Amino acid sequence: MAKRPQLTGRAAILAVVVCAIAMSLAYPVREYISLRRSISELRAEKAKVEADKQALLARDRQSDDPNWIKKTVKERLHYCGPGEKCYVVMEPEQGREQTAVKQPATVPPWYETLWQSVEAVDEGTGRRAVTGKESVGQ
């Protein structure tokens, strides 16, 4: 009796059809999953915007309160009401160097630093970089 082949023509055609169906469904399923993720991100963003909106509405309702307005004007603009005595407490004068706002040192762009290091090596004035594992004297 002759041994039957393991893979028949019908089985091969069936395998090709199943692979074709799986490949044709792969892209729509991927798009579906990405759209679901996008929808959940948009819902989270909407909830955040709604919370911001509610906070702004609460702040707007607070600004309708005349007592809040008076308190804010006194704090921010240093206004005094009629019949009130207001005092301004001055801090002791500090040195001019201390009162001046110190500007942070500006960091040059990376290409300028690179060019300066190339010029320093060319002139022989460059120094060895320290990586943290070795010291400068070694």
Side-chain angles (χ1 to χ4, degrees):
M1 180 176 226
K3 190 173 181 183
R4 290 184 69 189
Q6 295 273 339
L7 185 64
T8 63
R10 286 183 181 174
I13 292 173
L14 181 63
V16 168
V17 169
V18 169
C19 286
I21 290 172
M23 292 187 77
S24 67
L25 290 177
Y27 181 74
V29 169
R30 187 178 66 188
E31 285 295 312
Y32 174 76
I33 291 171
S34 70
L35 288 175
R36 295 303 296 174
R37 186 180 321 120
S38 173
I39 288 170
S40 66
E41 290 171 357
L42 288 173
R43 283 184 179 157
E45 184 179 345
K46 179 183 175 187
K48 181 183 172 282
V49 168
E50 281 294 324
D52 291 345
K53 176 185 169 187
Q54 294 301 324
L56 289 173
L57 287 175
R59 186 174 172 191
D60 185 46
R61 283 191 300 271
Q62 183 183 24
S63 67
D64 292 336
D65 182 20
N67 291 329
W68 182 83
I69 294 172
K70 288 178 185 176
K71 180 182 143 206
T72 304
V73 166
K74 285 182 181 181
E75 287 176 0
R76 292 186 184 173
L77 303 176
H78 307 290
Y79 277 18
C80 291
E84 292 180 351
K85 289 186 180 181
C86 295
Y87 299 98
V88 177
V89 179
M90 304 292 289
E91 292 188 19
E93 191 170 329
Q94 300 173 351
R96 292 200 182 262
E97 296 86 28
Q98 293 178 351
T99 57
V101 177
K102 294 183 180 178
Q103 297 292 333
T106 57
V107 178
W110 66 270
Y111 51 86
E112 190 173 310
T113 306
L114 176 67
W115 187 250
Q116 288 173 355
S117 67
V118 168
E119 287 178 338
V121 167
D122 192 35
E123 295 169 358
T125 60
R127 55 189 164 98
R128 186 172 175 206
V130 178
T131 62
K133 295 180 183 175
E134 56 198 30
S135 65
V136 178
Q138 293 180 352

